[in-house]
Amino acid sequence: MTDISPKAGIIVEGSARVSEADRDAYLALVREVVAQSVTRAGCLKFSVAEDIIERNLFHLTELWTDMASLDASRYGAENMAMLQRFAGLDISGRAVLVYGVASAVPG
């Protein structure tokens, strides 16, 4: 029988398009964000991948234990400073959704 015991969590899913001129700068910043985030309490996963069809379209996926951990990361001084560095880049079509997950089953 499949284990369907509740496993609460938060999933963040997003995407953004980056200009070719800012691609390298964007990737360097994203590497820093991921490296910092995965060390924070409550972060179970943080990945960014380029779309396999559309160059310079990037998708991100984060998995957090709870909303408090995500908020502490998102609104912390370190993250706010990092966001200022992204502000100077040509990024468009940014979309992010945050999902609360009440349970999960292995698939």
Side-chain angles (χ1 to χ4, degrees):
M1 187 163 128
T2 303
D3 176 14
I4 58 170
S5 59
K7 295 176 179 93
I10 302 295
I11 295 173
V12 179
E13 189 278 327
S15 60
R17 284 183 179 78
V18 180
S19 71
E20 185 67 33
D22 285 338
R23 176 188 175 84
D24 291 342
Y26 176 81
L27 288 171
L29 283 173
V30 164
R31 284 185 188 98
E32 287 183 49
V33 168
V34 172
Q36 291 173 6
S37 294
V38 298
T39 67
R40 294 190 178 124
C43 184
L44 302 173
K45 175 187 176 180
F46 194 131
S47 64
V48 178
E50 187 170 13
D51 192 275
I52 62 171
I53 296 173
E54 187 176 337
R55 181 172 168 84
N56 298 329
L57 173 60
F58 295 90
H59 303 285
L60 73 89
T61 304
E62 302 174 51
L63 179 59
W64 294 82
T65 56
D66 55 73
M67 196 66 199
S69 296
L70 173 60
D71 283 346
S73 176
R74 288 174 108 183
Y75 302 115
E78 190 176 89
N79 194 57
M80 298 307 280
M82 184 66 71
L83 289 176
Q84 291 298 316
R85 294 171 64 194
F86 277 102
L89 302 179
D90 184 8
I91 300 171
S92 64
R94 184 176 179 274
V96 176
L97 293 172
V98 178
Y99 301 93
V101 179
S103 65
V105 295

